[in-house]
Amino acid sequence: MNKKFFIALMMPALMLGAVSCTDYQDDIDKLGAENDALRSYNNQTISRLNSVVFQTEEGVVNITVDQPTATTIIYEVEPKELSSTLASDISRLKLLTQHDAAMAITAATGDDTKGTLTITATPSGFSGDKDFSLSLLYSEDGRSYQTAYTPVKVITHPTAGSMAINIPTTSGGKYAVGASYQLSAVFTPAYITETDVTWSVSDTSLATISADGVLTPLKNGIVTITCTSKDNPAVTATITIEITGGNIPLNEGGISQGSAE
């Protein structure tokens, strides 16, 4: 075979091999660039975060939810200078919870000096008969940072018919002058949280009742006791009792002690 002709036949194959090697090198360069990008990612927000922790007030360990009122939740951020970065785009922030409840984030502000992230969110779907907790999720470019879950205290208000009065029972169903009785308000369901009440009696000459529900009968008669919710004054409960055992008043038209024989 002619040597020149043989070389001419081989040249296309050699060129194909050269192209394949070039494509392979391009893939290597692309992977190297991606690795460089991943290494540079270490300087981005998520990789720099050391912690985001729910900021508790003294004596408070829960996030309080009083739907539909907006809730303010404050988190401590470390390092502090990332606070404003976290708050800059609320679409990256999400509050996670359970039982189909939701917290829709409507605003966020960051204070890089204090290192705090303040979130405003509107609650829905919470109920007092279940346990809830919240976790904050921050997402960025396919990666995410999630806080620990914090317990939620669900505020539940009394409604009409939800309150009754508990009073000690007596053998004859009557209450004696000179004794005292501790009354209390009972709420249904039991998970109602706003249980502060005020007490009153219909006739303070017959009995008095203290702010904490201690009834003191003063003289014989019929008296009505009323318990009123401080949270919702439209919610009340009443009971009527008979007081006995006191001194029987003298009839003004009777015989006076001085003229008796």
Side-chain angles (χ1 to χ4, degrees), residues 77-119:
V77 178
E78 182 62 40
K80 294 180 179 181
E81 62 269 17
L82 290 181
S83 300
S84 58
T85 302
L86 296 179
S88 62
D89 185 357
I90 63 172
S91 68
R92 296 180 181 273
L93 297 171
K94 184 178 182 180
L95 287 167
L96 307 177
T97 187
Q98 308 87 16
H99 308 303
D100 297 323
M103 291 285 284
I105 297 176
T106 57
T109 57
D111 188 325
D112 291 349
T113 301
K114 295 180 179 178
T116 55
L117 172 66
T118 302
I119 292 175

Side-chain angles (χ1 to χ4, degrees), residues 46 169 235:
I46 293 174
T169 57
V235 176

Side-chain angles (χ1 to χ4, degrees), residues 35-117:
N35 287 333
D36 290 341
L38 287 174
R39 285 194 293 270
S40 68
Y41 198 90
N42 291 332
N43 295 323
Q44 298 186 37
T45 306
I46 293 174
S47 296
R48 293 175 60 199
L49 278 172
N50 294 325
S51 65
V52 178
V53 180
F54 171 62
Q55 186 182 68
T56 60
E57 301 174 11
E58 184 176 354
V60 177
V61 296
N62 298 324
I63 295 173
T64 300
V65 168
D66 187 4
Q67 57 192 359
T69 305
T71 300
T72 299
I73 309 170
I74 300 177
Y75 289 93
E76 295 177 349
V77 178
E78 182 62 40
K80 294 180 179 181
E81 62 269 17
L82 290 181
S83 300
S84 58
T85 302
L86 296 179
S88 62
D89 185 357
I90 63 172
S91 68
R92 296 180 181 273
L93 297 171
K94 184 178 182 180
L95 287 167
L96 307 177
T97 187
Q98 308 87 16
H99 308 303
D100 297 323
M103 291 285 284
I105 297 176
T106 57
T109 57
D111 188 325
D112 291 349
T113 301
K114 295 180 179 178
T116 55
L117 172 66

Side-chain angles (χ1 to χ4, degrees), residues 254-261:
I255 300 173
S256 68
Q257 187 175 9
S259 62
E261 296 182 0

Side-chain angles (χ1 to χ4, degrees), residues 203-223:
D203 188 342
T204 55
S205 70
L206 296 180
T208 61
I209 190 165
S210 67
D212 56 356
V214 176
L215 176 72
T216 303
L218 300 177
K219 63 181 181 181
N220 295 0
I222 304 295
V223 67

Side-chain angles (χ1 to χ4, degrees), residues 6 11 15 18 41 74 87 127 131 139 183 186 209 223 227 260:
F6 177 77
M11 282 300 293
M15 290 179 67
Y41 198 90
I74 300 177
S127 60
D131 292 329
S139 301
L183 279 62
V186 179
I209 190 165
V223 67
C227 180

Side-chain angles (χ1 to χ4, degrees), residues 172-207:
K174 299 179 181 180
Y175 295 84
V177 171
S180 62
Y181 305 91
Q182 177 66 63
L183 279 62
S184 61
V186 179
F187 290 88
T188 304
Y191 55 76
I192 289 175
T193 59
E194 307 310 285
T195 57
D196 289 342
V197 296
T198 58
W199 296 93
S200 62
V201 292
S202 58
D203 188 342
T204 55
S205 70
L206 296 180

